Amino acid sequence: MEWWVSMPKVELHAHLNGSIRHSTLLELARALGEKGVIDFSDLEHVILKKDRSLREVFELFDLIHIITTDHMTVTRITKEVIEDFAAENVVYLELRTTPKANSSIGMSKRSYVEAVLKGLRAVSTVDVDFMSDNENSERLVNSLGPTTNHKYNVNTRKRIVVRLLLSIDRRETTEAAKETVSLALEMKHLGVVGIDLSGNPVVGEWITYLPALKYAREQGLHITLHCGEVRNSKEIRDMLNFLPQRIGHAIFLDEEDWEKLKSYNIPVEICLTSNIRTLSVPSLDVHHFVDLYNAKHPVVLCTDDTGVFSTSLSDEYRIAASTFGLGKKEMFELSKNSVEFVFADNGVKEELRSIFNSAAKSFI
Ligand SMILES: CC(C)=CCNc1ncnc2c1ncn2[C@@H]1O[C@H](COP(=O)(O)O)[C@@H](O)[C@H]1O
Ligand SMILES: [Zn+2]
């Protein structure tokens, strides 16, 4: 097995609906096509297309949501996404998703997140460490029980810790954003560790989400923001001044923003393939990963949307290694350092550190 697959990895930026398996998306789209709800032949080429503009990406998301947003499907895709990450030796997954309400099918933001949680518990092919209501918010593992001293062995049954971030979509109102934050607070004991701000970056304004984000932070939720996906220096500055615990992308930052980002030491979730596929960065050799990495700024390699951008976290590690001339040892250090930026509690961090320590001899 190649080292980028066998290496333990931490995924901190993965959107549930963007990480849907191609085969599942096609299967569900075909079924809806047969029922006459959508025109499958029109959609097939959209689903299979590789490079997409920003507008096309968000059109695809709207389409995916038509196909996936019922309770059963949300549970199914959650289960599959966790299985897929675990299969490539992701040992900690912070999965983010936007709670959606749709009264015509009896879906509320709460029932949407409950369907996601059901997906976590439904995984049977790997062990999933999640938070449970039943045991006074204790950590449970869906088969063998929790272990604090887990040894990493690529050949034994896989084990993955999963925590959730609830996303605020930039199309939402202040009220809807606050509803998501309230839900996250109510579900903290079930493994919701923070809030993400995402959605089409040319839609909406920072001031709309700020009250909800402030409230989230006051109440102890961690916050990560999609920042600098398009040129918008005022918003980028406001976001950095908010001091989020992490940001995603950080593409269109000017000199002053770079200085700010570095002096505030805000970790950056780097999504190489996503940035290339959406034409946000012209080519990998000019990607800002290089500058941040050389400056020893905290960076974490992530996928964004494995389904939409046809990638995997292993692929992102392979691509970074070959493009930037980094060896297995450097990539292991990068992966290991990601543990310090997870939003889960210290107990989880300790366990992850011990996993990486036990794996170190194979990669260094
Ligand atoms: C075109 C471009 C710059 C893409 C970069 N990538 C992204 N930028 C902003 N929001 C995103 C991105 N990928 C996924 N999302 C958000 O995540 C949602 C899909 O996952 P979910 O429904 O929250 O489970 C999308 O509808 C969108 O709101
Ligand atoms: Zn994203």
Side-chain angles (χ1 to χ4, degrees):
M1 194 188 292
E2 306 288 3
W3 64 259
W4 47 86
V5 181
S6 61
M7 182 179 280
K9 292 173 288 291
V10 167
E11 173 62 83
L12 299 185
H13 188 137
H15 300 265
L16 173 62
N17 279 281
S19 307
I20 184 171
R21 283 180 193 162
H22 263 171
S23 56
T24 299
L25 187 58
L26 286 169
E27 178 196 319
L28 296 171
R30 197 171 288 120
L32 280 190
E34 278 161 15
K35 283 192 200 157
V37 180
I38 56 172
D39 184 343
F40 180 69
S41 57
D42 267 7
L43 297 183
E44 200 177 9
H45 80 276
V46 180
I47 293 171
L48 296 176
K49 193 168 180 232
K50 286 231 157 150
D51 293 335
R52 297 176 218 275
S53 66
L54 192 135
R55 191 177 50 79
E56 286 173 326
V57 168
F58 288 97
E59 277 172 7
L60 178 59
F61 278 125
D62 286 342
L63 172 65
I64 293 176
H65 291 141
I66 293 171
I67 297 170
T68 60
T69 309
D70 65 79
H71 294 113
M72 236 173 62
T73 309
V74 169
T75 298
R76 171 183 172 176
I77 63 175
T78 305
K79 175 177 176 285
E80 291 179 353
V81 165
I82 293 169
E83 287 172 354
D84 291 349
F85 276 111
E88 53 158 342
N89 298 301
V90 171
V91 292
Y92 176 88
L93 166 64
E94 225 162 73
L95 187 61
R96 58 184 77 189
T97 193
T98 322
K100 296 164 191 78
N102 179 355
S103 55
S104 69
I105 54 160
M107 178 179 277
S108 62
K109 285 193 174 198
R110 176 189 303 278
S111 71
Y112 177 93
V113 181
E114 280 164 354
V116 171
L117 292 168
K118 199 168 163 191
L120 251 73
R121 294 190 295 268
V123 178
S124 57
T125 54
V126 298
D127 295 342
V128 183
D129 174 315
F130 58 98
M131 304 286 287
S132 164
D133 219 359
N134 308 330
E135 309 282 320
N136 300 325
S137 322
E138 274 188 49
R139 289 169 62 191
L140 284 189
V141 177
N142 59 354
S143 77
L144 301 173
T147 116
T148 45
N149 199 12
H150 182 68
K151 292 277 171 283
Y152 186 72
N153 183 341
V154 79
N155 296 316
T156 56
R157 188 174 157 90
K158 299 198 188 300
R159 185 171 192 281
I160 183 167
V161 179
V162 181
R163 295 293 181 266
L164 297 176
L165 303 178
L166 300 191
S167 301
I168 295 170
D169 187 310
R170 297 182 60 108
R171 284 179 290 201
E172 290 183 297
T173 60
T174 304
E175 276 320 301
K178 279 186 177 164
E179 196 192 330
T180 296
V181 171
S182 300
L183 193 57
L185 287 169
E186 283 170 41
M187 294 189 155
K188 239 173 149 178
H189 67 293
L190 296 172
V192 176
V193 290
I195 295 288
D196 155 56
L197 174 67
S198 55
N200 192 335
V202 300
V203 170
E205 287 188 55
W206 171 244
I207 194 80
T208 308
Y209 329 113
L210 185 59
L213 293 169
K214 268 189 178 157
Y215 177 59
R217 188 162 57 194
E218 280 160 18
Q219 296 298 316
L221 287 165
H222 297 270
I223 291 164
T224 177
L225 306 171
H226 281 65
C227 175
E229 288 184 282
V230 289
R231 223 173 274 287
N232 183 345
S233 39
K234 165 92 173 67
E235 181 178 275
I236 291 169
R237 209 145 299 163
D238 286 343
M239 284 184 167
L240 295 176
N241 287 338
F242 180 74
L243 289 177
Q245 274 97 346
R246 299 196 308 251
I247 60 171
H249 300 296
I251 302 164
F252 292 99
L253 274 60
D254 63 23
E255 255 333 292
E256 202 184 318
D257 302 328
W258 277 118
E259 290 316 312
K260 203 164 249 186
L261 176 76
K262 286 179 183 165
S263 71
Y264 293 170
N265 212 32
I266 302 169
V268 181
E269 303 151 0
I270 296 278
C271 309
L272 296 172
T273 300
S274 162
N275 295 164
I276 296 298
R277 287 276 163 88
T278 60
L279 313 173
S280 309
V281 174
S283 64
L284 283 175
D285 53 316
V286 296
H287 197 283
H288 49 291
F289 170 88
V290 179
D291 177 51
L292 292 173
Y293 183 83
N294 289 338
K296 299 202 177 347
H297 187 86
V299 284
V300 184
L301 288 182
C302 303
T303 54
D304 210 12
D305 300 288
T306 52
V308 170
F309 300 125
S310 307
T311 187
S312 65
L313 194 55
S314 307
D315 268 343
E316 297 301 303
Y317 273 74
R318 177 183 55 75
I319 291 165
S322 66
T323 311
F324 308 123
L326 300 171
K328 185 165 79 168
K329 179 175 178 298
E330 283 95 351
M331 296 311 288
F332 181 79
E333 292 297 338
L334 189 65
S335 184
K336 182 173 177 239
N337 284 344
S338 311
V339 171
E340 303 313 315
F341 316 120
V342 308
F343 289 167
D345 62 28
N346 283 332
V348 170
K349 276 193 189 172
E350 267 311 313
E351 179 177 330
L352 294 173
R353 288 186 193 116
S354 91
I355 289 173
F356 276 93
N357 287 339
S358 83
K361 57 183 180 305
S362 312
F363 297 98
I364 292 188

